[in-house]
Every structure is written in C-alpha cells, then in structure tokens.
Amino acid sequence: MKLNQTTLKYTLVSSFAILIIWSVIFYYNLMDEIYDSIDDGLSNFKILIIQECEKDSSALYKLNFDESNYAIREVSKEHAMLITDTFKDTLMYMEYEEDLEPVRMLTTAFYQSDKYYELKVISSMIEKDDLINNLFWSVLILFFILLISLTMINSVVLKAVWRPFYDLLEKLRVYRIENEMKPPEIETNITEFKQLNGSISTLINNSKKSFENQKRFTENAAHELQTPITGIIHRLQLLLDEGSLTEKDANSINNALDSAGRMARLNKDLLLLTKIENFQFKEVEKVDIEQIFRLGVEDLVDFASFKNIEFRFTIEDIFEIEMNRSLSQILVNNLLKNAIVHGDGGKIIEIVIEANRFSVCNQSQGTPLDTYKIFDRFYKGSDSSVHSGLGLTLVKAICDSYLLEINYQYKEGHIFTVSKKI
Amino acid sequence: MKVLIIEDDVELTDTIQKYLQKENILVESSGTFNSGLEKVSFFNYDCILLDINLPGGTGFDILKYIKELKLKSNVIILSAKDSLDDKLLGLDLGADDYIAKPFHLAELNARIKAVIRRNNHAGQEVINIGNVILDINNRKVVIEDKEIEFYRKEFDILYYFINNLNRLLTKSSIAEYTWGDQYEDSDDMDFVYYQIKNIRKKLKEANANILIKSTYGIGYTMKLA
C-alpha cells in the first residue's frame, strides 16, 4: 500500500468516527435545547392563559383544543391537588398533516373562584425521525465533502512534503555501489529527511568501504596466491626437467603438478568471477555474437572432430550487444566447450542465432541436468570429475551483468538459450 | 643470448634462471625498480622479462624508458594480475608479449624464442630444424620440400615442441598451451594424446628427422633423430 493511500485510509476512518460521535452528541444537545425552548414557551403560555381566565371567565369554558392550543376542564379539589406541572410528549391528530403528530403537552392545575381547573397546553413538536433523517444525510454529505477534500489535500500535501523523500527513493533505486558514485543528496529543510539522508550516506559510505576492501582483498588474495603457486609449479617442472628421475617419482611429481595447475586455474576463475560480479570490465563495444561463435568454433573444431562432433549454424538474424569483447568470448567459448564435453560422439552441436537470442544445443541421450543447480558454483554433473565447476557459473555471471537471461532445457539434448531481457 | 629478469620474487627468478640456462641463455636478474632501470640503461639484452609490481616503481615505467631510449630489447611482461588492463596497457606501451602468472616454464621459453625470432627476422618467422621448415606466419609445414598439412591445433603443438627442443613437455602443459584458459577436462588429455599420435604419424610419413618421444608416461620430448 502506498504512503498516500495509507495516510488517507487512517485520516478517513478517524474523521468518519469523529463525525459519528459528533452527530450523536449534536443530536442530543439539539433536542435538549428544543425541549427547553418549547417547555419555556408552554410555561409562559400557561401563565398568560391563567391571567386571561382571571380577567375573562368565559375563557374557562374550553374543553377541546380545537383551533387553539389549550383546553381547560373543571376537576375536583382532590384531583387538582394531585396534579403537578408535567411536560410530556404525546400524539395528536393534525388536520394539516392528516395524521397523528407528536406534540409537547403541559398539564397543570389552577384555582379560580373556588373552583379547580385542569389546564393542558400544547405546542407542536419537532419530528424526531425527520430530524434524525436530516441529520444523517447532512453528516453523510459532510463526510463525502471531507473525503473529496481530504483526498485532494492529502495528495497535494504529500507531494509537497514528501517530495524530498521520493527524490531520495528514486536516487537510491538507480544507485550502484560498485560505480564510483557519490551517495545521493537531497535538498530539504525537514529534519527527519535530513537525518534519513545522513543515515543513508553513512550506510552507503560504510558499504562502499567494505566493498572496496572486499574487492582489494580478492584481488590481493589472488595476486598473492599466484606467486607461491607459480613457485610450486616451476620447482616441480624443474625437477621433471632434470631427467634423472625414476618413472615412479616422475609420476608423483606430475600428479602434484597437475594439482597445482588445477589450483592455479581455480584461482584464476574465481578472480575472474569476482571481477565480473563486481562489474570491473568497464570497456564495452558492439559485439556481433555470430562472429564470436565463428572464432570459438574455429578454435574448438579440432577438439570437436576428435570427439566426432560437428557444428551447425542456423543464422536467423543478427544478434548484437554492447558488451566487453573478452567476456563475450568467455561466454561463447564456455558454452561451446560445455556442449562438446557433454555431447555424444557422432552428433551435431547446433548454434542458433536470432535477433534477440541465441542458443547452443548438443544432442545427447543423457539425462537432463538439474535446472536449479547447473549455474551454481562447483556444481558437477554425473560424469565429470576434473571440472573446476565454474564454467557455467561464469556464463551466468556474464549474462547477469549484461541484462541477459540464460535458460536451460532438455529436449533430445541439452539446450542453453541466452536471450535479451526486454 | 642474454635475458634480463626484472622481478622481485626471488623464487620465480631462480626457477626461470635455471630453466633458461639449459637453453644456453645467459640470464641476469634484478629485484627492484631502480636496479632494473640501471641494468637496462647500461647493458644490452635480447629479451627483458618485466614484472609490473616492483619495489620502488612500476614495470610500465621501465617499459616506457626502454621505448624512449629506442632499445632493441624485446620485452615480455610477467604479471600476476591477470588483468586485461595490464595486458592492454603493456602491449600499447610497446611490449612484445604478455604472460600471466602462473605460467609453464616451457611456455615462457617458447614465448621468449618467438619474440626474439620475430624481431630478428623482421616479422618473417621461419624456423628451420632438421629437415623440417616451419613458416609461422602462413602456418605451413614443409618437410623435404613437400608441404604437409597440419591442422590448427597440430600446428600449435608442433610449434610448441620445436620451441622446446629436448625439453620434457607434460601432457597438462601441452593441453594448457593449446587451450589456454579453457583447459579443464580429462577429455583434453585424450585429445592431446590423439594430436601427438597424428603429429608423429605425419612426421614419420614425411621422413622428418625430428621425433617425439614419450617420457615417463607423463609427457613428451622432441628430439633430433
């Protein structure tokens, strides 16, 4: 959920709750005020009627409300004594509305010329359900007005207030620690954003430092290792070159030499892999993949024919890409080498080049490889023991650094497809 | 022939020296930037093996100096950093070749001979050994006035042997020489064996007076018959 949606959600829910509570309180206050005002009117009216009756006794004879709003009837003394001033809500038939309507009625008693009278004064009442209804709609309309205005205010305020934040977010999105970029800076007067920017800069600088350290360490480690490995290899070669060894000794030395050689290659591959993953191959040029394949095939054709394997090209289109030439050669040669090593004798390795992808397929009766593991470091298939296991990992790392996607599938052969991510 | 090694690793210098001495090459060495610069200024060498990271300076500066003085020495850069930048910069500055550590001594030997030969014959590289003539530029092999067809890798291996006459070349050294970085599989060993078999057959059929002998079962040595 986005920031403005979340803010809006909370604002709207809370304003809705406030509106409901407010309208309940408002309703009761309003009713209270209305009753108060009506009751005052009725009391006043009562006094006026009693005064009127004192002046004009004919006014006493009014048993029904009829056109006016009061009625008087004579009652016994005992009954009159029981009557206190009471206000109550009741219903009365209204000609105008042709229905029973709520009225407020004051019942009281008074004494005049030795007689006791009961007086009822009425006043038409506000219709509660109408009021609630009206109130409900008003609140609803108010809520919608709030909804619209809050949404608008929200988006304007968010845009204005959070602009530095989004600014920073976008800069961080494109930020790459391995490029020599300064940590992103934003212009803002808001303390929190300043702090955020500061924390991020510190974080980035620290990561950069450890990245640099790691890079230097890998380089130095590889560099420092090459020298002693070279020492071992050369000493063993000199020993072999002496020519005065027994065959047994020579074999032992040769085995040691092979191991040292393997170590050297592994070290070299690891260094290369680290460099690719660190994007240290910065020189790029437009590379025509077919040309790279032709070169690779030329280099490997003797080896392939030794295994009785032939290459076949299917060129549908030109595949061109901006990349480092040496890396493109490593990519292609590793795919080809892999295909020869795992291909069955007497079969064909097919190279298909299209505008947005190319694939290498070697026909084989073998079992499909584990799709999830083949690009892992040091993954070994079933039939090889000497592989450094980094060939396909290098291929994958190169693909990753040039926004290429590599896929493996098995269809009467192992097919590796490299395609441009669109 | 005189070769100078400018390299701070004593072990490496020692092994190279020992290996090259057998080829009747006089090897001198210097372990620092300054002594290297000194030797280059006062003496003439056929080939200089130059390390990049030296105590007191970088090999590139020595290379620049050599080129400024227009010295005739061939320069092969030895670098532990298998870095493309080093290689490109080195070759741009006029180095004749570049070899990344760790390397096989036999390969270094082959490279030294190749650069010296190239420069002495103004680029026209033709090797004459026994009754075999190798035309490097055109990748042709002529034995007893008859051109024999050698496949690409066969030619490479033959060339490697001829540059290392009388030296033991292990199978893995040959595989690495022919495959470079991609050498990794036991298949490659079988391939080497197969190639050697073919080369032997071709040499024999053409009555060449060089032959490839198997040594200890771990490698081969080329000898004059």
Side-chain angles (χ1 to χ4, degrees):
Chain A
M1 196 176 246
K2 278 192 159 183
L3 186 65
N4 62 352
Q5 288 169 337
T6 318
T7 326
L8 199 61
K9 191 181 81 181
Y10 285 117
T11 322
L12 287 179
V13 167
S14 52
S15 58
F16 190 63
I18 291 168
L19 269 183
I20 286 171
I21 295 168
W22 176 84
S23 40
V24 169
I25 294 170
F26 176 74
Y27 171 76
Y28 281 106
N29 269 334
L30 190 67
M31 287 314 282
D32 202 48
E33 201 49 50
I34 289 168
Y35 277 123
D36 207 41
S37 156
I38 290 174
D39 292 355
D40 283 354
L42 286 173
S43 302
N44 187 48
F45 214 50
K46 177 193 98 181
I47 295 165
L48 288 176
I49 290 166
I50 293 171
Q51 280 174 354
E52 180 68 24
C53 286
E54 277 170 1
K55 278 188 259 171
D56 178 10
S57 59
S58 69
L60 284 169
Y61 303 101
K62 191 171 182 314
L63 282 170
N64 292 316
F65 289 99
D66 297 331
E67 83 290 345
S68 73
N69 56 352
Y70 70 96
I72 301 171
R73 71 182 169 110
E74 200 180 327
V75 291
S76 63
K77 185 188 173 187
E78 293 73 27
H79 185 76
M81 284 303 159
L82 290 173
I83 295 172
T84 53
D85 281 12
T86 49
F87 297 94
K88 84 172 196 212
D89 294 336
T90 183
L91 292 171
M92 189 167 277
Y93 185 81
M94 292 268 166
E95 292 289 341
Y96 175 69
E97 300 268 347
E98 295 182 338
D99 197 6
L100 289 171
E101 289 296 316
V103 290
R104 186 73 167 165
M105 184 162 73
L106 168 64
T107 309
T108 186
F110 65 94
Y111 170 79
Q112 193 179 332
S113 330
D114 295 334
K115 280 179 184 160
Y116 292 91
Y117 299 93
E118 180 199 63
L119 171 65
K120 284 182 174 167
V121 192
I122 56 162
S123 169
S124 79
M125 258 296 291
I126 191 159
E127 289 176 51
K128 273 191 200 171
D129 49 351
D130 279 0
L131 179 69
I132 290 173
N133 205 0
N134 275 329
L135 201 59
F136 171 77
W137 283 111
S138 310
V139 167
L140 206 67
I141 289 165
L142 180 61
F143 179 72
F144 277 107
I145 291 171
L146 272 178
L147 188 122
I148 292 163
S149 48
L150 278 176
T151 312
M152 280 161 61
I153 293 168
N154 199 49
S155 69
V156 170
V157 167
L158 270 178
K159 258 191 203 134
V161 174
W162 291 86
R163 192 189 45 77
F165 176 78
Y166 287 113
D167 212 27
L168 185 62
L169 210 60
E170 178 57 24
K171 280 179 179 165
L172 281 176
R173 198 179 62 80
V174 296
Y175 188 80
R176 290 283 171 276
I177 214 161
E178 57 279 356
N179 292 351
E180 272 144 40
M181 285 161 92
K182 277 188 173 171
E185 290 274 351
I186 49 165
E187 273 175 39
T188 176
N189 291 321
I190 300 167
T191 317
E192 283 85 347
F193 289 153
K194 274 186 190 164
Q195 284 174 350
L196 180 68
N197 200 171
S199 307
I200 285 171
S201 295
T202 315
L203 193 68
I204 285 176
N205 283 330
N206 288 341
S207 313
K208 233 182 156 71
K209 228 175 272 167
S210 55
F211 176 76
E212 294 293 330
N213 279 339
Q214 187 217 337
K215 227 162 65 174
R216 212 171 306 134
F217 173 79
T218 332
E219 263 183 37
N220 288 348
H223 175 91
E224 296 303 325
L225 270 174
Q226 301 283 46
T227 309
I229 295 172
T230 310
I232 296 171
I233 291 175
H234 287 183
R235 282 289 160 203
L236 293 172
Q237 281 172 354
L238 279 179
L239 255 178
L240 274 184
D241 209 52
E242 291 289 321
S244 56
L245 297 163
T246 64
E247 189 160 338
K248 207 177 135 204
D249 288 345
N251 263 304
S252 300
I253 291 168
N254 191 46
N255 287 343
L257 199 54
D258 280 349
S259 298
R262 201 143 57 233
M263 191 153 84
R265 282 193 300 280
L266 206 56
N267 194 43
K268 214 155 123 188
D269 277 358
L270 271 175
L271 181 61
L272 180 62
L273 188 63
T274 319
K275 281 184 170 176
I276 295 168
E277 285 175 349
N278 289 346
F279 303 101
Q280 278 169 281
F281 292 91
K282 294 206 175 88
E283 279 185 25
V284 291
E285 56 187 288
K286 191 165 262 175
V287 170
D288 176 7
I289 256 348
E290 187 192 339
Q291 189 206 349
I292 307 294
F293 265 108
R294 299 276 181 199
L295 283 173
V297 164
E298 194 183 319
D299 199 41
L300 287 163
V301 74
D302 288 354
F303 182 51
S305 67
F306 159 67
K307 285 201 77 180
N308 204 11
I309 290 172
E310 270 182 59
F311 291 104
R312 191 167 66 202
F313 277 93
T314 309
I315 311 294
E316 305 273 354
D317 210 329
I318 297 168
F319 184 104
E320 274 184 332
I321 185 168
E322 289 276 331
M323 75 184 290
N324 183 284
R325 179 166 284 271
S326 307
L327 289 188
S328 73
Q329 285 167 349
I330 294 171
L331 169 71
V332 164
N333 286 1
N334 274 320
L335 283 176
L336 289 174
K337 193 80 197 289
N338 188 62
I340 298 173
V341 170
H342 296 288
D344 288 351
K347 292 285 173 63
I348 283 168
I349 291 175
E350 187 160 22
I351 298 149
V352 182
I353 298 174
E354 290 166 54
N356 283 313
R357 60 188 196 155
F358 59 88
S359 63
V360 177
C361 169
N362 60 298
Q363 298 173 351
S364 163
Q365 300 292 334
T367 47
L369 301 166
D370 188 336
T371 322
Y372 295 102
K373 283 191 189 150
I374 40 171
F375 299 114
D376 280 358
R377 292 182 182 197
F378 306 117
Y379 169 74
K380 283 174 184 172
S382 50
D383 54 349
S384 56
S385 57
V386 199
H387 276 197
S388 76
L390 283 175
L392 286 176
T393 313
L394 284 172
V395 168
K396 176 92 166 70
I398 294 169
C399 286
D400 285 348
S401 58
Y402 289 102
L403 293 176
L404 291 170
E405 197 169 12
I406 181 153
N407 282 304
Y408 165 79
Q409 69 185 109
Y410 184 86
K411 215 164 90 188
E412 291 162 30
H414 306 287
I415 307 170
F416 286 92
T417 308
V418 175
S419 44
K420 286 180 186 168
K421 278 185 197 165
I422 301 161
Chain B
M1 209 179 343
K2 244 167 87 179
V3 168
L4 173 68
I5 310 171
I6 307 176
E7 157 74 62
D8 61 327
D9 182 19
V10 185
E11 175 72 9
L12 189 69
T13 309
D14 187 45
T15 49
I16 293 174
Q17 217 158 3
K18 286 206 167 97
Y19 195 86
L20 293 182
Q21 268 160 8
K22 280 199 180 173
E23 301 282 323
N24 289 322
I25 296 175
L26 188 70
V27 184
E28 286 183 21
S29 69
S30 91
T32 62
F33 178 81
N34 288 330
S35 70
L37 216 54
E38 216 168 276
K39 287 211 155 143
V40 168
S41 326
F42 293 125
F43 306 103
N44 280 323
Y45 298 95
D46 296 289
C47 185
I48 296 165
L49 307 179
L50 187 58
D51 187 23
I52 295 299
N53 296 309
L54 290 167
T58 153
F60 290 129
D61 288 334
I62 296 183
L63 180 57
K64 278 182 204 158
Y65 181 73
I66 292 170
K67 292 297 151 188
E68 263 169 38
L69 293 186
K70 296 195 165 56
L71 299 177
K72 272 176 75 188
S73 315
N74 300 291
V75 178
I76 298 177
I77 290 174
L78 313 175
S79 172
K81 274 191 185 160
D82 181 29
S83 138
L84 228 65
D85 303 340
D86 275 8
K87 183 173 177 176
L88 292 176
L89 183 57
L91 297 180
D92 267 2
L93 288 174
D96 298 273
D97 206 351
Y98 172 99
I99 190 165
K101 296 175 198 169
F103 45 82
H104 284 267
L105 288 167
E107 180 160 4
L108 179 67
N109 186 24
R111 301 261 192 129
I112 292 171
K113 287 187 178 162
V115 292
I116 290 173
R117 209 179 292 123
R118 209 182 299 148
N119 279 18
N120 289 353
H121 300 90
Q124 280 305 311
E125 231 190 302
V126 177
I127 306 174
N128 207 328
I129 188 158
N131 58 356
V132 180
I133 298 165
L134 230 68
D135 181 347
I136 310 301
N137 301 84
N138 302 312
R139 300 183 71 85
K140 271 189 202 158
V141 182
V142 178
I143 303 173
E144 305 246 287
D145 299 330
K146 220 173 98 188
E147 193 184 324
I148 313 288
E149 198 198 345
F150 275 73
Y151 293 123
R152 196 182 150 83
K153 292 290 173 191
E154 288 172 358
F155 184 89
D156 288 344
I157 294 171
L158 182 67
Y159 181 54
Y160 191 39
F161 270 112
I162 284 175
N163 274 326
N164 283 291
L165 202 64
N166 295 319
R167 307 301 292 250
L168 165 64
L169 299 180
T170 60
K171 282 180 192 167
S172 57
S173 148
I174 299 167
E176 216 168 308
Y177 178 78
T178 38
W179 292 121
D181 288 347
Q182 296 167 66
Y183 157 72
E184 56 179 16
D185 201 79
S186 54
D187 276 2
D188 298 323
M189 293 295 195
D190 299 338
F191 177 66
V192 168
Y193 176 74
Y194 174 77
Q195 298 292 303
I196 304 276
K197 211 175 83 182
N198 285 347
I199 296 170
R200 274 174 164 168
K201 206 169 121 194
K202 285 179 183 174
L203 290 176
K204 201 177 166 195
E205 277 171 3
N207 282 321
N209 55 8
I210 49 173
L211 51 91
I212 296 171
K213 278 178 68 182
S214 180
T215 313
Y216 300 132
I218 57 166
Y220 306 90
T221 311
M222 178 169 276
K223 289 199 159 125
L224 278 166

